Amino acid sequence: MDSILGVHETALLYRARRMEVLAANLANADTPHYQARDIEFASMLDGAMAGVKLASTQTGHIELAPGAARDTLKYRIPHQPAQDGNTVEADLELARYAENAVAYQASLLFASSKITQLRTALMGVRG
Amino acid sequence: MSTFDIAGSALSAQSLRLNLTASNLANMHNVSGDSSDVYRARHAVFRAASEPFSNVLAGVEVLGVIESTAPPTERYDPGNPQANADGMVYASSVNAMEEMANMISASRSYQSSLEIINTAKDLMLRTLSLGQG
C-alpha cells in the first residue's frame, strides 16, 4: 500500500462497487429468473493487501486498479426464492445497501481525517 | 454502469408498470359488441439488461408489453348501445385485485430505487468534498 490514504482507498472502491451490485439487484427485484449477486469484502481486500499485480514487461503497460483482479460476483443463496426464479429479497438488499452506505461514509471519514492530519503536519497548528 | 444508471432504469421500468396498471384499471369496465375489439389487460415484461452469468452489472429493461389472453366476459345487455345483433356485450377481463397488487409492488420497487439514488447522491457529494476543511 503506497497510497497516502492507505487501505481506505481500496475500501472506498469496494464500497462503491458493491453499491452498484446491490443497486442492480434491487433494480431487478421484479425481473423473472434474475439471480441476486454480491461481492465479498474479504476477498477483494485480501487481493488489494497482497498487492496482486500483473507483470509489466513493457513500458507502456498500465497498472491494474487495486482490487480489480478479485472483483468477481457471486450468486446469493436465497432464503425464499420467488416462483418466477427471482432470488432478490428486496428488504435484505435494502438493509445491505444501508449498511454499505454507512461503511462507505466511515471509510470516507478515515480518508478525510488522514488528509486533515497531513495538512496539520505540513502547516502546523494555526488558527 | 453506475448506480445512478442502474437505479434510473428501475425507475423508468416501474413507472411504466404503474402506467399500465392505471390504464388497465381505467379501462376495466369497457364493453364492446365485438369480442376481438374489447380492451385487454396489458402487462410489462422485464429483463435484466445483461448477458446471464456475465460479470457486467446491468439495470432492468422492458422487453415489451404483452396483452392478456384471458377471454372477455360475455354478458346479455340488449339496452347497451354497444350491444351486437344478439344483444350481447363483451366486457374486458381486467382483474382488479391483480392490478392493485401489481400497483403496490411497482410503487414499493419505485420507492426503493428512489432511496438508492438519494443515498448514492449523498455519498457522491460527500466524496466530492473530501479533504475540504
Side-chain angles (χ1 to χ4, degrees), chain B:
Chain B
M1 261 183 126
S2 78
T3 307
F4 296 102
D5 293 330
I6 292 166
S9 76
L11 285 184
S12 113
Q14 298 299 344
S15 89
L16 173 82
R17 198 165 149 214
L18 274 176
N19 283 342
L20 288 172
T21 304
S23 162
N24 290 345
L25 285 173
N27 289 292
M28 197 169 82
H29 297 295
N30 281 11
V31 290
S32 170
D34 183 359
S35 67
S36 63
D37 197 32
V38 72
Y39 181 85
R40 285 171 187 277
R42 277 152 212 205
H43 295 114
V45 181
F46 290 169
R47 186 177 75 168
S50 75
E51 296 297 311
F53 307 113
S54 78
N55 238 0
V56 182
L57 290 176
V60 58
E61 67 180 11
V62 179
L63 201 58
V65 174
I66 52 160
E67 287 200 338
S68 162
T69 51
T73 334
E74 205 178 3
R75 197 167 65 221
Y76 182 62
D77 188 4
N80 197 313
Q82 299 261 47
N84 62 13
D86 303 325
M88 302 303 275
V89 290
Y90 296 89
S92 72
S93 59
V94 176
N95 184 336
M97 298 304 140
E98 199 181 298
E99 295 303 328
M100 291 307 283
N102 224 335
M103 185 188 81
I104 293 167
S105 166
S107 83
R108 296 255 315 187
S109 298
Y110 192 94
Q111 279 173 20
S112 60
S113 294
L114 211 55
E115 205 171 305
I116 281 176
I117 289 183
N118 271 329
T119 311
K121 189 188 83 182
D122 201 44
L123 290 177
M124 289 307 129
L125 287 176
R126 276 164 200 248
T127 313
L128 278 179
S129 61
L130 178 67
Q132 292 175 2

Side-chain angles (χ1 to χ4, degrees), chain A:
Chain A
M1 305 302 303
D2 47 3
S3 152
I4 53 157
L5 298 179
V7 74
H8 302 301
E9 191 185 337
T10 318
L12 278 176
L13 281 173
Y14 161 75
R15 293 291 169 194
R17 174 75 177 152
R18 187 163 186 235
M19 193 156 75
E20 287 171 17
V21 177
L22 296 178
N25 284 347
L26 275 160
N28 286 293
D30 300 312
T31 308
H33 306 296
Y34 181 82
Q35 312 264 305
R37 297 179 291 186
D38 204 351
I39 38 176
E40 257 185 310
F41 181 64
S43 69
M44 205 165 157
L45 197 69
D46 285 350
M49 296 295 270
V52 174
K53 275 182 184 150
L54 292 179
S56 48
T57 50
Q58 300 280 318
T59 45
H61 280 170
I62 300 167
E63 205 176 306
L64 204 63
R70 299 290 191 89
D71 182 10
T72 47
L73 296 171
K74 288 183 179 158
Y75 289 95
R76 223 187 264 308
I77 296 166
H79 298 108
Q80 297 177 68
Q83 200 79 55
D84 61 3
N86 186 301
T87 63
V88 179
E89 284 156 322
D91 306 303
L92 285 175
E93 298 292 338
L94 260 184
R96 289 189 190 104
Y97 187 83
E99 180 244 317
N100 191 56
V102 172
Y104 185 95
Q105 282 204 37
S107 292
L108 208 56
L109 203 67
F110 281 122
S112 174
S113 51
K114 189 83 191 173
I115 292 171
T116 315
Q117 198 182 330
L118 281 172
R119 186 181 290 151
T120 313
L122 284 170
M123 300 173 54
V125 185
R126 280 187 289 181

